[in-house]
Amino acid sequence: QVQLVESGGGVVQPGRSLRLSCAASGFTFSFYAMHWVRQVPGKGLEWVAFISSDGSRKSYADSVKGRFTISRDNSKHTLYLQMNSLRGDDTTIYYCARDLGVPGTPLDLWGLGTLVTVSS
Amino acid sequence: QSVLTQPPSASGTPGQRVAISCSGSSSNIGSNSVNWYQQLPGTAPKLLIYSNNHRPSGVPDRFSGSKSGTSASLAISGLQSEDEADYYCAGWDDSLNGVIFGGGTKLTVL
């Protein structure tokens, strides 16, 4: 079954760190670029980060640049998001998404999301 | 405030045709393809239209997309109750070097 499953969310204090994982199955993970996208429940979508299929290229939203790091382990079919110096406005649902690989960066497969709550 | 501008809401009756607009700039829609996502309540987004006007497998042909200059539009014909959802336009922005989303349009089927 082609799917993405996020994990690692939870409650964390401001200033602390958290690492999210996204396990891919049912497709050749190493062929695809991947993204993290987040969404405050009931609000709009916000792109967080991108990583190329081989991990050599990365890009971040200004809101997380310098605090978040995207990475991947193709041998484990897993995408990661290391989140440091967490703030209250990082409290959202985090989705991992697969890049279809055509111009325009369409995201054709999404996980169900994992909720991160930053609170003291 | 989103880089891509969408109306916050739209509505129609069953069987009607509705259109949702998405306005951007030369660094995004003007130079890159537009994608549309549908998000049903309580679920993850789903790719609805990619590369301006292409439908992924399984998406009904009632959904169509178009682009002109720095604007794009999603049209839904033969509106059905199950189309009630949030719709987002999105694409790559060359200036921001990242993906941008519109603020979303909540479609209500009356």
Side-chain angles (χ1 to χ4, degrees):
Chain A
Q1 185 181 1
V2 177
Q3 65 178 2
L4 298 169
V5 179
E6 302 93 338
S7 61
V11 180
V12 60
Q13 293 180 327
R16 303 298 291 265
S17 299
L18 201 63
R19 188 177 82 158
L20 304 182
S21 299
C22 168
S25 59
F27 64 96
T28 307
F29 180 67
S30 62
F31 284 3
Y32 294 88
M34 298 293 295
H35 300 254
W36 286 99
V37 176
R38 66 185 184 181
Q39 182 177 36
V40 174
K43 301 296 184 183
L45 299 168
E46 180 189 13
W47 173 79
V48 173
F50 153 88
I51 187 168
S52 61
S53 58
D54 64 358
S56 62
R57 290 180 293 120
K58 302 176 184 180
S59 182
Y60 299 91
D62 287 344
S63 58
V64 306
K65 201 172 293 183
R67 299 187 301 123
F68 290 13
T69 301
I70 188 171
S71 63
R72 64 191 296 159
D73 186 334
N74 284 344
S75 67
K76 295 182 178 179
H77 314 287
T78 303
L79 174 73
Y80 302 101
L81 185 67
Q82 177 67 42
M83 304 185 294
N84 299 331
S85 304
L86 282 162
R87 311 183 305 216
D89 60 359
D90 296 319
T91 295
T92 73
I93 298 170
Y94 286 78
Y95 297 102
C96 61
R98 184 179 75 175
D99 191 318
L100 183 56
V102 300
T105 323
L107 307 181
D108 73 325
L109 179 66
W110 296 64
L112 296 180
T114 186
L115 177 63
V116 172
T117 302
V118 182
S119 174
S120 54
Chain B
Q1 187 172 351
S2 302
V3 178
L4 300 181
T5 302
Q6 299 178 235
S9 63
S11 63
T13 57
Q16 264 191 332
R17 179 184 184 276
V18 297
I20 298 172
S21 63
C22 176
S23 177
S25 66
S26 58
S27 65
N28 43 69
I29 294 179
S31 52
N32 295 294
S33 298
V34 177
N35 310 303
W36 291 89
Y37 299 90
Q38 178 192 58
Q39 187 174 32
L40 298 170
T43 69
K46 168 191 170 184
L47 181 63
L48 196 64
I49 296 288
Y50 69 96
S51 298
N52 304 324
N53 55 16
H54 291 79
R55 286 184 306 277
S57 174
V59 173
D61 59 6
R62 301 187 296 106
F63 295 91
S64 62
S66 63
K67 182 185 114 169
S68 177
T70 59
S71 294
S73 181
L74 171 71
I76 308 172
S77 60
L79 199 61
Q80 300 179 3
S81 58
E82 55 261 40
D83 298 334
E84 193 161 281
D86 293 325
Y87 293 85
Y88 295 90
C89 60
W92 187 265
D93 188 289
D94 293 333
S95 297
L96 298 175
N97 195 32
V99 176
I100 52 171
F101 288 93
T105 298
K106 184 175 184 61
L107 175 64
T108 300
V109 181
L110 302 170

